[in-house]
Amino acid sequence: MFLSKIANKIGLFDVLAPRKKKENEHRKVSDPKTPASVGSFDASGEEIVTSVSGNDPYDDNRRRRLRAQIDAEDAALALGVFAKKQRVKYHHKATNKFYDAVIVGVHLDDGPDKPYYTITYDKLEAEVTDDGKENKVIRKVEKQTYPERLERLNWDEAKAW
């Protein structure tokens, strides 16, 4: 169990034990082992072939990792939860603002029916310097939250990568 937690934390299960596709999944991706196509994914998960190259390991790795993320998000959707590394919209109730966030941790301490999440997002803040100038600074915020404050975002390959 301890080794499983470590493997999950470093993302080893995403590579070693990819989830099998179900027949009724709404996103489809072409076979990642096709060496001639280097693709992008559109909003529905369909692969768009953008160029033809040889056996570029970077493109194959990228395609495999994006496919693993799509599969993880689809499996989480079927269970009614969010997946690790999934992009979400976070509602900050104190300021009533919404931020694009990424889930970096899924916690099941209160049981599998009550998950909570660790997310990160970028927040624009005003910073006053010693000479009185006000600068806008982007700060990375990490916090824990409940699913009631999160909404799913449409799949975007560029932002997911």
Side-chain angles (χ1 to χ4, degrees), residues 50-64:
T50 56
S51 64
V52 177
S53 67
N55 293 328
D56 188 0
Y58 175 78
D59 292 329
D60 290 341
N61 184 36
R62 177 182 174 157
R63 195 172 37 246
R64 271 196 310 275

Side-chain angles (χ1 to χ4, degrees), residues 31-156:
D31 186 11
K33 296 178 182 174
T34 306
S37 67
V38 177
S40 298
F41 299 95
D42 66 5
S44 68
E46 293 290 333
E47 185 172 12
I48 303 167
V49 176
T50 56
S51 64
V52 177
S53 67
N55 293 328
D56 188 0
Y58 175 78
D59 292 329
D60 290 341
N61 184 36
R62 177 182 174 157
R63 195 172 37 246
R64 271 196 310 275
R65 290 178 69 184
L66 286 171
R67 183 183 180 127
Q69 184 63 32
I70 288 173
D71 291 344
E73 289 181 20
D74 286 343
L77 178 63
L79 296 173
V81 295
F82 296 100
K84 189 174 181 180
K85 300 178 187 174
Q86 183 172 355
R87 292 180 47 253
V88 293
K89 185 184 291 187
Y90 167 67
H91 180 222
H92 190 268
K93 286 188 177 180
T95 61
N96 201 26
K97 290 185 179 180
F98 289 88
Y99 297 97
D100 283 348
V102 176
I103 295 176
V104 295
V106 179
H107 309 282
L108 302 172
D109 299 346
D110 298 334
D113 57 333
K114 296 181 182 179
Y116 66 96
Y117 304 95
T118 302
I119 61 168
T120 61
Y121 62 92
D122 294 332
K123 184 177 182 181
L124 184 65
E125 294 181 345
E127 180 179 82
V128 179
T129 60
D130 294 336
D131 57 354
K133 292 182 181 178
E134 187 174 297
N135 295 329
K136 299 288 184 182
V137 178
I138 297 175
R139 301 218 188 269
K140 187 164 275 301
V141 178
E142 181 173 312
K143 61 177 12 182
Q144 294 179 341
T145 188
Y146 291 98
E148 295 83 28
R149 293 187 178 199
L150 302 175
E151 295 178 23
R152 295 182 195 286
L153 289 176
N154 290 333
W155 175 259
D156 183 350

